[in-house]
Amino acid sequence: MTPAGAVGQPYSRLEGRAKVTGTARYAVEYPVDGVAYAQAVPATAVRGTITGLDTDAALAVDGVLAVLHHGNAPRLTPGVDPELFRLQEPTVHFRGQFVAVVVAETIEAAREAARLVRVDYAPQPHHTVLSAQDPALYRPDHVNPSYPTDVVAGDFDAGFAAAEVRLDLTYRTPSYHNSPMEPHAATAQWRDGRLLVHDSIQGSSPAREILARLFGLPIEAVRVVNTHVGGGFGGKLYCKVQTVLAALAARHVDRPVRLPLTRQQTFGPVGYRTPTIQRVRLGAGPDGRIDAVAHDAISQTSMVTEFAEQTAVYTRNMYAAPNRRTTHRLLRLDVPTPFWMRAPGHTPGSFALESALDELAAACQVDPVELRLRNDTTVDPESGSPFTSRNLAACLTDGVRRFGWDGRDPTPRARRDGRWLLGTGMAGSSYPARVRPATASAAASADGTFEVRINAADIGTGARTALWQVAADALGTPPERVRIRVGDTALPPADVAGGSTGLASWSWAVVRACERLCDRLAELRGRLPAEGLTVEVSIDDEVAAQRTLPRYGYGAQFAEVRVDSDTGEVRVRRLLGVFAVGRVVNPTTLRSQLIGGMTMGLSMALHEAGLFDTRYGTWANHDLASYHVSSNADVPAVEAYWVDDADDQLNPLGVKGAGEIGIVGAAAAIANAVHHATGVRVRDLPVTLDKLLAA
């Protein structure tokens, strides 16, 4: 590979102009002849059976083509995915489950008709309350994606009993909702028995496979396009119900159908981050060195599908302690199924552990940064293997310097500016660095240009731009001579954009394809065929042969807050993070991802909370007017930096991915800062003024 120097440069996004001028096409914006519009009808029962449907008024609306329901919808293959097996049976598993779909000539007619569909139910008793005392709590076989449910090392009980300093603390986080700018949406059309879907999804290759199985089609008869995706945050990781409903409706009316969910319909039926109840116990010496740690996490799942958030996994690998125990318990409720959300497990888990460490630092009268440095380790506490790289200490010390942490008075309520109480706090961050199989192709044209193809998904992260830079260097050519194509199952297959695996995996495949093309061009000695030359390479075997080693990105987050002593209003004055995330392909897009995650953590700390009405089995605040996401007025200057983090044991470029780590620890840093400012410890997010004034 002859580098041309594109990797590491702050290129603007290739699709930037298309997005700001409105020419970038999203899932329900592609021009389609004869398109009809669909609107989903949600169940108003929490649990029960549909006993009757009155569609006469809906069908009488001018322009309505059909009302699909369990009695007339095309059949799906059972046993593929219970989350997608909709309009097939009269059973209602949770409030908000889609029980009918209206198809009309216009979206206005579809929405009006959907309002007129009348559904009768035979309701059944329901249970929607998550409680740590519920006798139905159980131990799942594993937690997401395939972690052991419980892990024990040493003797926690003995170590905790013998510790001079002991803390036994409970933390709670509410449900959180993925709220991308583009809601879940799809356009589906059938052509000669083949299904074409334009979908808002983070990975079209897996979606293609599941759609083929659901509709009983050969996989080559399904094509899924996701050229542009307006955000996802994990909520669009796999095929969702709107895609299946659009395809069912299109088959039923024999026309292309668009189905965007309303904002309200994205609160629940397509997933959310589960609420958690977390008990953290720390036993330490007076110097703050941890002898024993236990992290017991409780979360909820639905009656439809088991989804076990890996909340306590963060504690297994972050800090050293000879005696350790981490457990997960799950409760099945009559609620929608939780799903992936940015840095799953690590986000709620880090809030609990990093808050507990702050409380331990206060108990031991040790600086919070120093406490973490004393419990740092070069060996993975769970596996006993050395980390491939661990630059947590570098992030902590660089963050101290940049933030101006030295000389901090640890006394709560010690700083004041008029009526404002001032405080600072910090937390550590980590997230696994992983790769998945992928395939890419590279083509050379007679005019000296190149095209690289891979079914990666760019959900707003700048992935296509980073891959373009990687390809240019791998080909040894100026990037202006390279075209990049992503987001279409007609391209070589690749896995989803999720878990910070995207660029780490896709870049590996792109490098190998470009290397193979360069080798073939060298063999041809300049005699390129008129039609050009294309090669395709899979890294599946290389990924499968990779050793299982502890690979992580790390970070340190620092926050300064001010709290109004009269009203309890909290304002974050600044956020600063320093991260170790492998080789930097594009500093502009990297910074964007990091500050985006940090801002999402700020929103988690102060604003976001799904308010679930257990009587009616739904969220009371199911729109962006009442479910508050941090806006510009809430967000201060957010600074993101990174340290050198060479790691050649993950992929050829040493890329780790940074989509998740920015949110990890951010909420804890802010909550710790609020405690420093006020002396009030909030262990139940979000930090709201009523909790401060009440204390």
Side-chain angles (χ1 to χ4, degrees):
M1 183 172 69
T2 304
V7 169
Q9 299 303 312
Y11 284 98
S12 298
R13 297 184 186 186
L14 297 177
E15 80 284 11
R17 179 177 293 274
K19 285 184 173 178
V20 300
T21 57
T23 57
R25 301 290 188 184
Y26 292 88
V28 292
E29 296 181 337
Y30 289 88
V32 180
D33 292 335
V35 69
Y37 297 84
Q39 180 78 10
V41 178
T44 55
V46 183
R47 180 177 175 225
T49 303
I50 297 172
T51 58
L53 279 134
D54 184 350
T55 62
D56 290 347
L59 289 168
V61 174
D62 187 36
V64 170
L65 302 173
V67 179
L68 280 74
H69 49 79
H70 70 276
N72 66 357
R75 297 296 92 183
L76 296 171
T77 303
V80 175
D81 185 337
E83 295 294 324
L84 304 178
F85 198 67
R86 294 290 177 257
L87 310 190
Q88 307 294 301
E89 56 185 8
T91 306
V92 174
H93 301 283
F94 56 85
R95 188 184 182 104
Q97 174 186 317
F98 298 132
V99 295
V101 172
V102 175
V103 189
E105 297 283 358
T106 66
I107 195 166
E108 292 83 5
R111 288 181 175 176
E112 172 63 12
R115 187 180 64 83
L116 297 174
V117 174
R118 293 289 176 262
V119 186
D120 295 323
Y121 306 93
Q124 298 174 6
H126 62 266
H127 182 24
T128 59
V129 180
L130 179 65
S131 168
Q133 286 73 48
D134 197 304
L137 284 166
Y138 71 97
R139 180 184 184 276
D141 290 337
H142 66 276
V143 293
N144 298 323
S146 56
Y147 290 110
T149 305
D150 300 345
V151 170
V152 176
D155 187 337
F156 167 76
D157 292 324
F160 186 71
E164 294 185 52
V165 180
R166 293 188 296 273
L167 298 180
D168 188 342
L169 308 163
T170 299
Y171 301 89
R172 290 177 171 85
T173 59
S175 59
Y176 299 105
H177 296 269
N178 313 71
S179 299
M181 291 182 68
E182 180 194 23
H184 290 71
T187 301
Q189 50 190 312
W190 293 86
R191 298 173 179 171
D192 301 322
R194 303 173 68 87
L195 175 61
L196 171 62
V197 173
H198 290 83
D199 202 7
S200 181
I201 191 167
Q202 293 176 233
S204 54
S205 291
R208 181 192 194 196
E209 296 175 12
I210 202 163
L211 288 171
R213 293 169 59 199
L214 278 169
F215 287 94
L217 300 170
I219 193 167
E220 59 270 16
V222 179
R223 181 182 175 192
V224 181
V225 179
N226 60 331
T227 306
H228 297 288
V229 180
F233 310 114
K236 299 176 181 176
L237 213 58
Y238 298 117
C239 187
K240 289 292 184 175
V241 64
Q242 83 285 345
T243 311
V244 176
L245 296 180
L248 282 172
R251 173 169 274 185
H252 186 77
V253 301
D254 196 24
R255 292 176 57 170
V257 169
R258 299 197 198 284
L259 177 50
L261 298 186
T262 66
R263 182 61 64 182
Q264 290 82 0
Q265 290 173 345
T266 65
F267 280 73
V270 290
Y272 57 96
R273 198 195 300 278
T274 174
T276 70
I277 304 170
Q278 303 177 59
R279 182 186 184 190
V280 177
R281 284 169 287 174
L282 295 173
D287 61 355
R289 297 185 188 277
I290 302 171
D291 298 315
V293 57
H295 191 164
D296 305 305
I298 294 171
S299 62
Q300 70 187 35
T301 190
S302 73
M303 295 293 186
V304 181
T305 304
E306 182 181 278
F307 184 91
E309 183 96 358
Q310 63 271 40
T311 309
V313 167
Y314 180 82
T315 298
R316 294 176 181 173
N317 313 94
M318 190 59 178
Y319 300 107
N323 303 295
R324 323 168 61 80
R325 184 165 70 217
T326 51
T327 70
H328 297 84
R329 295 297 178 266
L330 205 55
L331 184 62
R332 286 193 178 273
L333 298 172
D334 298 305
V335 297
T337 305
F339 198 62
W340 307 104
M341 189 171 178
R342 199 172 200 165
H346 282 59
T347 297
S350 66
F351 167 67
L353 181 64
E354 296 292 339
S355 296
L357 286 180
D358 201 65
E359 300 201 47
L360 178 63
C364 297
Q365 297 184 351
V366 176
D367 178 81
V369 174
E370 177 60 28
L371 181 94
R372 287 164 174 81
L373 289 171
R374 290 180 186 180
N375 290 285
D376 194 13
T377 173
T378 59
V379 175
D380 176 18
E382 183 175 22
S383 68
S385 300
F387 293 102
T388 59
S389 65
R390 180 168 169 108
N391 282 305
L392 174 62
C395 294
L396 289 166
T397 54
D398 194 51
V400 164
R401 177 182 65 84
R402 292 180 181 275
F403 188 77
W405 181 269
D406 280 343
R408 170 184 184 264
D409 184 344
T411 308
R413 298 180 65 94
R415 293 176 58 203
R416 212 180 169 106
D417 179 11
R419 73 174 193 269
W420 293 96
L421 301 169
L422 308 180
T424 54
M426 58 79 54
S429 305
S430 78
Y431 198 76
R434 295 171 291 211
V435 292
R436 295 192 180 110
T439 302
S441 69
S445 299
D447 63 1
T449 62
F450 301 87
E451 183 171 271
V452 174
R453 310 178 188 106
I454 183 170
N455 189 23
D458 192 333
I459 61 174
T461 59
R464 59 165 47 84
T465 306
L467 290 173
W468 172 70
Q469 294 173 246
V470 168
D473 279 11
L475 291 166
T477 192
E480 294 77 14
R481 299 178 118 192
V482 180
R483 296 185 300 273
I484 186 84
R485 289 184 57 197
V486 301
D488 190 336
T489 56
L491 304 173
D495 214 325
V496 298
S500 288
T501 64
L503 186 59
S505 307
W506 306 329
S507 65
W508 189 346
V510 166
V511 166
R512 292 293 185 249
C514 291
E515 289 175 338
R516 179 77 58 82
L517 180 62
C518 289
D519 290 343
R520 292 285 291 116
L521 290 173
E523 293 169 5
L524 292 173
R525 299 179 183 275
R527 296 187 298 273
L528 187 66
E531 68 276 13
L533 176 66
T534 300
V535 302
E536 184 172 296
V537 176
S538 166
I539 61 166
D540 293 17
D541 291 342
E542 285 189 271
V543 171
Q546 195 174 51
R547 293 174 59 200
T548 300
L549 296 171
R551 302 176 175 91
Y552 293 85
Y554 292 98
Q557 306 219 29
F558 297 79
E560 181 179 2
V561 304
R562 58 176 184 164
V563 182
D564 191 306
S565 57
D566 296 324
T567 68
E569 175 188 351
V570 180
R571 287 287 178 180
V572 177
R573 299 182 69 176
R574 58 181 176 136
L575 278 177
L576 184 146
V578 180
F579 301 92
V581 288
R583 188 177 183 188
V584 176
V585 175
N586 186 316
T588 298
T589 56
L590 171 59
R591 180 180 180 275
S592 175
Q593 284 298 289
L594 294 174
I595 65 173
M598 294 167 69
T599 302
M600 205 167 173
L602 183 155
S603 195
M604 172 186 175
L606 301 183
H607 302 131
E608 292 188 49
L611 304 178
F612 195 79
D613 190 324
T614 57
R615 299 167 301 169
Y616 300 108
T618 190
W619 286 271
N621 56 338
H622 55 284
D623 54 42
L624 293 183
S626 51
Y627 179 85
H628 184 61
V629 176
S630 294
S631 64
N632 287 351
D634 303 308
V635 180
V638 181
E639 302 174 61
Y641 303 94
W642 44 88
V643 298
D644 290 337
D645 187 36
D647 189 336
D648 60 359
Q649 299 190 63
L650 181 64
N651 52 45
L653 290 175
V655 173
K656 287 185 176 179
E660 322 288 330
I661 196 170
I663 192 175
V664 179
I670 292 168
N672 292 341
V674 169
H675 173 262
H676 185 230
T678 65
V680 179
R681 175 65 65 178
V682 177
R683 303 189 184 100
D684 185 356
L685 287 182
V687 180
T688 48
L689 56 88
D690 56 305
K691 295 169 185 174
L692 298 178
L693 292 177

